[in-house]
């Protein structure tokens, strides 16, 4: 767990081998971590972040944290989703489905490449100087016992996510 902190914080990886001097390599990458809760399931009583077996310094490095709980009572929408998921799994090897998936992957790669190369969203001055600081100031930073505390790093997270969403929609201005 601690080995993740250096690449996430300083974007470097230290390598130590016998008979060689210590080396540092750049590590500019994204992290996707999947893990189970401490007690094998999430309970609804304890705070979510107390059920994740990671130190707060490491959790705060992630831009987004998604908690996936298994629902015991299934409604119609959940049942329809489960049925569709089973259909996809059962037809995975069919040639017609594979062709559609391959075509979609090609399109998605081109779309993402275009957005990265040509779209550079700009923030509205009001958003950066008034709206986001005002909302941040109204958050309670000290008495957050049921959740993870809000830190100034979250302002950068909000900015990166807003830029990414605007880029995804091929938009120029973040409003």
């Amino acid at each position: 767990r601690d080995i993740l902190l250096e690449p996430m914080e300083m974007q470097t990886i230290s390598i130590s081998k016998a008979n060689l001097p210590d080396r540092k390599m750049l590590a500019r990458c994204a992290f996707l971590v999947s893990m189970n809760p401490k007690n094998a399931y999430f309970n609804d009583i304890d705070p979510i972040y107390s059920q994740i077996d990671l130190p707060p310094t490491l959790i705060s490095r992630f831009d987004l944290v998604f908690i996936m709980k298994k629902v015991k009572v299934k409604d119609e929408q959940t049942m329809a989703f489960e049925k569709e998921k089973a259909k996809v799994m059962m037809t995975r090897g069919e040639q017609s489905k594979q062709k559609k998936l391959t075509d979609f992957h090609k399109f998605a790669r081109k779309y993402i490449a275009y957005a990265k190369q040509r779209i550079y969203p700009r923030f509205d001055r009001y958003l950066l100087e008034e709206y986001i600081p005002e909302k941040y100031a109204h958050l309670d930073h000290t008495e957050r016992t049921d959740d993870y505390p809000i830190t100034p790093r979250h302002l950068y997270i909000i900015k990166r996510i807003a830029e990414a969403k605007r880029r995804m929609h091929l938009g120029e201005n973040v409003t």
Side-chain angles (χ1 to χ4, degrees):
R1 297 176 206 294
D2 294 335
I3 201 164
L4 290 175
L5 198 55
E6 182 187 358
M8 292 178 82
E9 187 175 281
M10 295 182 280
Q11 294 185 340
T12 60
I13 295 175
S14 298
I15 298 175
S16 299
K17 287 283 204 177
N19 299 332
L20 291 175
D22 289 347
R23 300 272 186 204
K24 285 195 180 251
M25 298 177 66
L26 289 178
R28 295 187 185 180
C29 58
F31 285 86
L32 176 66
V33 177
S34 174
M35 61 186 296
N36 291 326
K38 286 180 186 176
N39 300 323
Y41 66 93
F42 287 109
N43 66 36
D44 295 330
I45 298 169
D46 295 335
I48 292 292
Y49 287 104
S50 69
Q51 299 179 54
I52 298 173
D53 194 19
L54 284 178
T57 54
L58 191 56
I59 293 175
S60 70
R61 298 281 174 200
F62 289 98
D63 288 354
L64 299 171
V65 176
F66 294 99
I67 307 299
M68 299 172 68
K69 293 182 181 180
K70 185 150 184 133
V71 181
K72 293 178 183 171
V73 179
K74 294 184 179 180
D75 58 356
E76 287 182 29
Q77 185 180 7
T78 306
M79 292 294 284
F81 175 74
E82 292 289 331
K83 185 178 177 181
E84 190 63 31
K85 186 167 69 172
K87 272 192 220 175
V88 168
M89 294 301 289
M90 297 306 291
T91 60
R92 186 167 271 176
E94 291 181 17
Q95 292 297 329
S96 61
K97 300 282 184 186
Q98 287 298 110
K99 174 110 172 77
K100 286 181 184 177
L101 265 177
T102 304
D103 291 346
F104 176 75
H105 287 172
K106 286 179 185 176
F107 169 75
R109 285 176 194 256
K110 287 179 183 177
Y111 188 90
I112 292 168
Y114 177 84
K116 279 184 173 180
Q117 292 170 358
R118 305 228 174 140
I119 306 297
Y120 298 101
R122 291 179 307 278
F123 275 83
D124 183 13
R125 177 173 237 94
Y126 169 76
L127 193 66
L128 285 178
E129 295 177 0
E130 308 243 347
Y131 183 78
I132 293 176
E134 181 73 25
K135 293 292 183 185
Y136 181 75
H138 280 61
L139 291 174
D140 186 9
H141 302 281
T142 57
E143 298 181 22
R144 305 277 306 218
T145 57
D146 61 332
D147 245 343
Y148 195 76
I150 302 295
T151 63
R153 180 178 294 133
H154 289 92
L155 291 172
Y156 295 112
I157 292 170
I158 290 168
K159 186 176 179 186
R160 281 197 308 271
I161 291 173
E163 284 176 349
K165 183 175 183 213
R166 202 66 205 137
R167 186 174 279 148
M168 182 178 73
H169 290 286
L170 301 179
E172 294 291 330
N173 296 320
V174 178
T175 56

